[in-house]
C-alpha cells in the first residue's frame, strides 16, 4: 500500500522498481540469519543510480528524503521496500515511514559504516581487550554525524543476531545485526535510540530458533524479576581524588585493614544506594572499620542468592538504584576515609536461558564438556577458562569495577571450586589435566592473568581469595614458582578458613572442656606466614543453622557476651587482617536473614537489654581505634619476626599470651583468659622497655563493655625477673573470659 503523494509537495517522485532480492536472501533477512544485512539493506550504487532497500514489517509506506527531493519506495512484500533512485549517490538521507499509528521520520540504520575499529576487533579476537566494556554492549555515541546507540555482542556460533527493544516494539525483524568476521562480534548502530531505553539481543542459534538474551555487557538492567538491559550513560562526577591518591601509600599487607562485611539490601531494608550513602559511611566511620566489603552487587535474578548467582556481570543491581547512585555510595564511603571491597563471582553463573547459558545457541561462556560445565554444588554453570574470549570477559570485568566504580579491592568467591577439577566430584565425574593431575590449569592461568592485570592497571587495589584448601602460593607473586611447579596465583590476601573453623570450634565448647581443644587456638601460628591472611567471621558463619556469633558461645547470656568479647579481642590481636559480618558488632542473637535485615531495635532507646548490645558495639569501636593506632598489630602481619608466643601451652587454665611487634620493635602483649574465673598474679614475660611501665590498651571485661570490671589499675610496672625466655616480666590479673592488650606507656 502506498500513501497519497499528492497531499505533500515533497512527495512528487516515485522510485523505479528495483531488481528485488532472490529467495534465499529474502528468507535469510526475514529469519534474521543474514550475516551481512548492510550488504542488502540501505543504499547501494547501481549503473545510473542507487538502490535503496528497507526492511520495515509494520510500514504501510516508505519515502526516501534526500535534500529537497523525495522518492516513494515500492512495497515488494514481507515488509521489504525497494526502489531505484536516479541519483548517482545517496549518502545522506532519511526515511519517512507511515504506519497504522502515524508518520515518523527516521535515519536508516543500514546507511552507516561499522562503528567498531579494527584495533577493537583485533584485541577481542586475541582475548586481550582490557577495556572490553568500551567496545561491546550498548554505547550512546555520535556516528557519521548522527546521534544514536551502537550495539555490539560476541556470539560466534549464532546464525544471526537482531536487536529488540522498546524502539522497535520488541520485534527484531527490522534490526538485524551484521557479523564482523572471525571476531565473532555482531554490530549495529541504531540512530535515534538513546539513554534509558530497554533492549535485548535476539540470537538465532544453530537450530534457527530465536531466543532473547540480556546483554552480557549491560551496564544497567531492569529491576528483577524483569530482565531487559537498559542503555546507560554515566553523568557522575567523582569527589574522591584524595582517597585514590593516598591508598597507594602503603602495601595492604603492611597497613591497618579491618573490614565490615555488608549485604546492602538487608543492612537497613528498603534503603536505596543514595540513602545508604547518607547512613552507612557515618556508621562505619564511627565504628572505626577501615573498609567495607559488599556482598556481590552485580545484578542477579534471585535475591535469596545474596548476589552470588550473577547474570549481569557489568551492572550493579537495580534493586537499590542506578549505576550512578552506586557510584555516589562508593564516593561517600571514600570521602569518609573508608575503602570499598566487593565480592566478585567468576566461578560460576546461573542457567537462566535469557542470560549467559548457551548464549549463542551452543555452549559459549560455559565449558563444552558437560561434566566440566555443571557446578555440582549450586546447580549453576562454570566458566570455560580455557577460552580466551571468556577469560577476557572476566579479566575486563575485574578492571571495570575497579576503574569505573573506584572499587578498592575484589574478594574473589569460591576460588577452591575453580582450582580443582575434582571439586565436589566423585571418581568418574572428572577428567585429569594433561599431566594427570587434578588442578584446573585453565583456571590457574585465568586467576594469574586477572591478578597481574589488575595490579598493573589499578594502583592501590587489592584482591582477596576465598580459598579453603592448602593450595600453595595463593598470595605469592605470579612469576615466583613454588614447590608444586606453579607460579603464585598473585592475590594480595587470602581468607584464613582454617583459623576461622578452629577458633570457632574452640569457643563453642564449655570452658571446662576447652583444654582438650587448646591446639585449635594455637595451630594457626604454624602456618600464619605461609600466606597473607584475613581472619573472616563472614556471612557464611551466621546463617543456615550456624547461629550468630554470640549465640555460638556457651553459657548464660552474660557468659555468651563475655566469650564473644574475649574472642573479638583475640581475633583483632592475632596476625592477619579482620573481617566481621554486619550485626555481629552489636551481638545480634538471631541468625542473619536477608529478608528480615538486622535487629537494630536491640540498640535503640527503650529496649530493655540495650546496654548489653551497646557494650559489644563499644568494644568493636575501641578495638578498631586501638588497632589502627598500634602498628604492632598490623605492620608486620606477614613477617614472623613480628610475633612471639609468651604462653602457648597453658591448656588447663585456658590461657594464651603472645607479643606483637611493630617495625620499630614497639611491643604489644595480648593475653586471653578463656575460663570464667579470675586469675590473680599471673607472671608474663615481656621485653625491657624504656619506661618500664605498661598499661591496658584493651580490657574486654571492662564495665563499659558489659563486663565485670576486673582490671589492673592505672599501670603495671616491669620487674627485672626473667620469664618465658624474656628479660623482664609483669604480674597481671586476668579477668574472667577476657582478652587484655597491654602496651608500654
Amino acid at each position: 500500500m502506498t500513501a497519497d503523494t499528492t497531499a505533500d509537495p515533497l512527495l512528487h517522485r516515485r522510485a523505479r522498481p528495483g531488481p528485488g532480492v532472490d529467495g534465499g536472501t529474502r528468507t535469510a533477512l526475514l529469519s534474521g540469519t543474514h550475516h551481512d544485512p548492510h550488504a542488502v539493506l540501505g543504499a547501494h550504487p547501481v549503473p545510473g543510480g542507487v538502490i535503496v532497500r528497507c526492511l520495515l514489517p509494520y510500514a504501510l509506506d516508505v519515502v526516501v528524503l534526500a535534500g529537497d527531493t523525495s522518492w516513494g519506495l515500492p512495497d515488494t512484500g514481507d515488509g521489504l521496500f525497494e526502489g531505484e533512485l536516479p541519483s548517482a549517490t545517496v549518502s545522506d538521507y532519511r526515511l519517512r515511514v507511515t504506519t497504522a499509528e502515524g508518520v515518523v521520520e527516521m535515519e536508516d540504520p543500514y546507511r552507516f559504516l561499522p562503528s567498531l575499529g579494527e584495533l577493537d576487533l583485533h584485541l577481542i579476537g586475541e582475548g586481550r581487550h582490557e577495556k572490553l566494556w568500551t567496545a561491546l554492549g550498548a554505547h550512546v555515541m555520535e556516528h557519521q554525524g548522527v546521534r544514536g546507540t551502537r550495539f555490539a555482542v560476541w556470539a560466534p556460533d549464532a546464525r544471526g543476531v537482531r536487536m529488540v527493544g522498546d524502539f522497535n516494539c520488541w520485534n527484531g525483524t527490522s534490526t538485524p545485526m551484521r557479523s564482523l568476521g572471525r571476531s565473532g562480534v555482531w554490530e549495529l548502530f541504531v540512530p535515534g535510540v538513546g539513554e534509558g531505553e530497554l533492549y535485548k539481543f535476539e540470537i538465532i542459534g544453530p537450530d534457527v530458533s530465536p531466543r532473547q538474551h540480556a546483554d552480557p555487557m549491560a551496564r544497567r538492567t531492569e529491576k528483577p524479576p524483569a530482565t531487559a538491559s537498559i542503555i546507560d550513560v554515566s553523568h557522575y562526577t567523582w569527589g574522591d581524588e584524595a582517597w585514590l591518591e593516598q591508598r597507594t601509600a602503603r602495601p595492604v599487607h603492611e597497613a591497618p585493614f579491618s573490614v565490615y562485611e555488608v549485604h546492602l539490601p538487608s543492612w537497613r531494608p528498603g534503603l536505596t544506594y543514595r540513602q545508604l550513602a547518607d547512613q552507612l559511611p557515618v556508621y562505619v566511620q564511627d565504628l572505626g572499620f577501615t573498609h567495607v566489603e559488599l556482598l556481590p552487587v552485580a545484578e542477579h535474578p534471585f535475591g535469596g542468592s545474596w548476589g552470588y548467582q550473577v547474570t549481569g556481570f557489568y551492572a550493579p543491581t537495580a534493586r537499590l538504584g542506578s549505576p550512578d547512585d552506586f557510584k555516589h555510595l562508593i564516593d561517600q564511603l571514600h570521602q569518609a576515609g573508608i575503602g570499598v571491597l566487593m565480592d566478585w563471582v567468576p566461578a560460576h553463573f546461573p542457567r537462566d536461558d535469557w542470560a549467559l547459558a548457551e548464549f549463542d545457541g551452543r555452549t559459549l561462556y560455559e565449558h563444552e564438556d558437560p561434566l566440566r560445565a555443571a557446578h555440582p554444588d549450586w546447580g549453576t554453570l562454570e566458566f570455560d577458562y580455557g577460552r580466551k574470549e571468556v577469560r577476557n570477559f572476566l579479566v575486563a570485568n575485574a578492571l571495570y569495577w575497579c576503574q569505573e566504580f573506584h572499587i578498592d579491592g575484589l574478594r574473589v568467591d569460591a576460588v577452591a571450586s575453580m582450582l580443582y577439577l575434582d571439586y565436589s566430584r566423585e571418581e568418574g565425574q572428572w577428567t585429569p589435566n594433561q599431566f594427570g593431575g587434578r588442578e584446573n590449569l585453565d583456571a590457574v592461568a585465568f586467576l594469574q592473568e586477572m591478578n597481574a592485570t589488575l595490579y598493573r592497571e589499578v594502583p592501590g587495589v587489592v584482591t582477596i581469595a576465598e580459598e579453603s584448601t592448602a593450595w600453595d602460593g595463593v598470595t605469592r607473586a605470579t612469576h615466583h614458582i613454588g614447590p608444586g611447579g606453579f607460579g603464585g596465583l598473585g592475590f594480595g590476601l587470602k581468607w584464613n578458613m582454617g583459623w576461622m573453623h578452629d577458633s570457632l570450634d574452640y569457643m563453642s565448647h564449655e570452658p571446662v572442656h576447652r583444654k582438650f581443644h587448646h591446639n585449635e587456638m594455637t595451630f594457626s601460628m604454624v602456618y600464619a606466614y605461609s600466606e597473607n591472611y584475613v581472619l573472616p567471621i563472614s556471612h557464611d558463619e551466621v546463617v543456615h543453622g550456624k547461629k550468630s556469633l554470640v549465640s555460638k558461645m556457651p553459657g548464660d547470656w552474660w557468659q555468651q557476651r563475655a566469650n564473644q568479647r574475649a574472642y573479638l579481642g583475640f581475633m583483632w590481636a592475632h596476625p592477619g587482617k579482620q573481617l566481621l559480618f554486619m550485626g555481629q558488632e552489636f551481638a545480634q542473637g538471631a541468625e542473619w536473614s536477608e529478608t528480615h535485615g538486622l535487629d537494630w531495635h536491640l540498640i535503640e532507646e527503650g529496649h530493655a537489654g540495650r546496654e548489653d548490645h551497646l557494650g559489644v558495639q563499644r568494644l568493636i569501636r575501641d578495638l578498631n581505634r586501638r588497632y589502627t593506632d598500634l602498628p604492632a598489630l598490623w605492620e608486620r602481619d606477614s613477617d614472623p619476626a613480628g610475633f612471639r608466643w609468651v604462653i602457648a601451652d597453658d591448656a588447663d587454665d585456658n590461657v594464651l599470651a603472645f607479643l606483637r611487634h611493630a617495625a620499630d620493635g614497639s611491643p604489644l602483649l595480648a593475653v586471653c583468659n578463656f575460663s570464667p574465673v579470675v586469675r590473680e598474679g599471673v607472671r608474663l614475660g615481656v621485653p625491657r622497655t624504656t619506661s618500664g611501665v605498661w598499661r591496658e590498651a584493651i580490657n574486654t571485661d571492662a564495665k563499659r563493655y558489659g563486663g565485670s570490671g576486673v582490671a589492673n589499675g592505672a599501670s603495671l610496672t616491669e620487674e627485672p625477673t626473667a620469664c618465658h625466655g624474656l628479660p623482664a616480666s609483669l604480674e597481671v590479673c586476668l579477668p574472667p573470659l577476657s582478652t587484655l592488650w597491654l602496651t608500654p606507656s
Side-chain angles (χ1 to χ4, degrees), residues 506-507 509-512 514 553-570 619 653-655 671-679 699-702 705-710 733-740:
Y506 175 88
M507 294 303 300
H509 293 285
E510 293 284 350
V512 69
R514 285 175 175 167
M553 305 298 165
D556 59 23
W557 176 232
W558 189 94
Q559 290 177 322
Q560 283 183 310
R561 288 180 291 116
N563 273 301
Q564 179 179 354
R565 294 193 306 268
Y567 179 71
L568 291 169
F570 164 73
L619 174 64
D653 287 342
N654 302 343
V655 171
V671 195
C672 304
N673 176 19
F674 290 115
S675 64
V677 298
V678 178
R679 301 201 181 278
N699 179 343
T700 66
D701 188 52
Y705 305 142
S708 62
V710 175
C733 174
L734 303 185
L737 296 174
S738 69
T739 292
L740 302 179

Side-chain angles (χ1 to χ4, degrees), residues 419-468:
L419 291 175
Y420 298 98
L421 295 169
D422 63 345
Y423 184 87
S424 286
R425 294 177 171 91
E426 302 295 333
E427 187 175 350
Q429 295 180 330
W430 64 282
T431 303
N433 63 36
Q434 65 255 43
F435 303 110
R438 65 192 187 109
E439 301 87 1
N440 186 336
L441 303 181
D442 293 333
V444 171
F446 156 67
L447 291 170
Q448 291 173 327
E449 180 184 350
M450 181 275 297
N451 280 312
T453 303
L454 203 57
Y455 277 101
R456 182 186 73 240
E457 295 296 323
V458 188
V461 76
V462 63
T463 58
I464 307 166
E466 185 212 15
E467 203 286 307
S468 55

Side-chain angles (χ1 to χ4, degrees), residues 141 235 261 322 424 438 528 602 606 663 737:
M141 61 189 300
H235 302 282
E261 190 188 27
S322 72
S424 286
R438 65 192 187 109
L602 297 175
L737 296 174

